[in-house]
Amino acid sequence: MDFEKEKEMLLKMKASSSGGVSKDDFITIGPDQEIMVRILPGKDAETPFFHTVHQHYVRSGEEGNGRYYSCLRDKDQKCPLCEVYFSLFKTGDSDNVALARSIAPRQQTLMNTVERSSDTVKILRVGKQLFDVIMGTILDEEYGPVHDLDNGFDYKIKRVGKGLATSYTQSAPSRHESPAGDQQAKDRYMGSLHDIQNITRYMDYDDVEKASANVLAESSEGVSVKNPVEKSDGANSVNLTSLLND
């Protein structure tokens, strides 16, 4: 994909589990660990190097138990969990707002990367904070497209803390640009790309609706779903972002 088009997509984003792969295909970073990766470009000129989705986490029973649901709004469909999220938030009740925040759709961005320690292509899944750090580097004229095969930069991903206190702000590119590898290595990397645009699995609407009903059952009496949100673009997306940032 043309870098200027990618840059435009990144700027728009700033303003505003998986099929076909196993858990071993994803990079895991533990608390207070750091790894070195090389972010790879898309498979062709028309394919972005990243793919962004949103996920709801619905807790179940004891603390730490629960399930992730890919947000149906990413498919331009009505999402029952988003409807419940908005309805709970708008009550203003502190318990309902806390419940709403627990199921809020969280941004997840997937990228093909070379895990330098193993020299294999794995999927790096990052939240909004780390993606913003990487995006800032790409939009910085000193660096530009870090994912360029010939003139890009390796990237140090550093995780500090755990849980809600986790931070990735100390992640940074290497000081000097370099090729991703020799020609043989580059060909191997590009031939090993995961289809990140098509690996997200979506539950059936009925299953997501059941999960949303269970969440609603935990709320204060009298809460009902109003003003359903059907799509992930437009004004509703802006409203969602503003609520999440409150």
Side-chain angles (χ1 to χ4, degrees), residues 118-189:
S118 65
D119 195 34
T120 57
V121 175
K122 293 189 177 183
I123 300 169
L124 178 64
R125 177 169 47 197
V126 305
K128 185 177 185 303
Q129 182 192 80
L130 180 51
F131 184 68
D132 284 349
V133 171
I134 296 172
M135 178 178 71
T137 302
I138 293 174
L139 299 177
D140 186 338
E141 294 183 359
E142 183 178 349
Y143 294 99
V146 297
H147 52 291
D148 187 280
L149 274 179
D150 298 313
N151 302 299
F153 295 80
D154 282 12
Y155 218 100
K156 180 183 70 176
I157 307 298
K158 185 171 184 178
R159 175 180 175 179
V160 178
K162 60 182 179 179
L164 296 176
T166 299
S167 173
Y168 291 94
T169 57
Q170 295 182 39
S171 301
S174 57
R175 294 184 178 182
H176 304 289
E177 66 180 42
S178 65
D182 60 27
Q183 192 58 52
Q184 184 178 13
K186 288 188 289 186
D187 290 343
R188 176 165 57 86
Y189 298 152

Side-chain angles (χ1 to χ4, degrees), residues 43-116:
K43 64 181 180 180
D44 54 43
E46 300 303 318
T47 305
F49 72 92
F50 65 92
H51 180 65
T52 297
V53 296
H54 298 82
Q55 290 188 321
H56 300 272
Y57 178 76
V58 179
R59 64 194 181 198
S60 176
E62 297 180 2
E63 184 87 19
N65 293 330
R67 184 170 190 171
Y68 285 97
Y69 292 82
S70 296
C71 183
L72 296 180
R73 282 158 50 95
D74 287 338
K75 297 176 62 180
D76 288 330
Q77 296 178 7
K78 182 170 66 175
C79 177
L81 283 167
C82 282
E83 293 180 0
V84 170
Y85 166 79
F86 273 100
S87 297
L88 290 171
F89 209 111
K90 290 177 180 178
T91 66
D93 176 82
S94 59
D95 290 336
N96 286 340
V97 170
L99 182 57
R101 289 191 181 278
S102 74
I103 65 165
R106 305 297 181 186
Q107 176 178 309
Q108 294 282 304
T109 300
L110 309 177
M111 291 174 278
N112 277 296
T113 64
V114 178
E115 182 184 55
R116 287 305 195 192

Side-chain angles (χ1 to χ4, degrees), residues 206-226:
D206 289 346
D207 291 324
V208 181
E209 189 172 43
K210 289 178 183 177
S212 68
N214 291 337
V215 173
L216 203 59
E218 295 182 41
S219 65
S220 301
E221 293 184 9
V223 178
S224 60
V225 176
K226 298 179 180 179

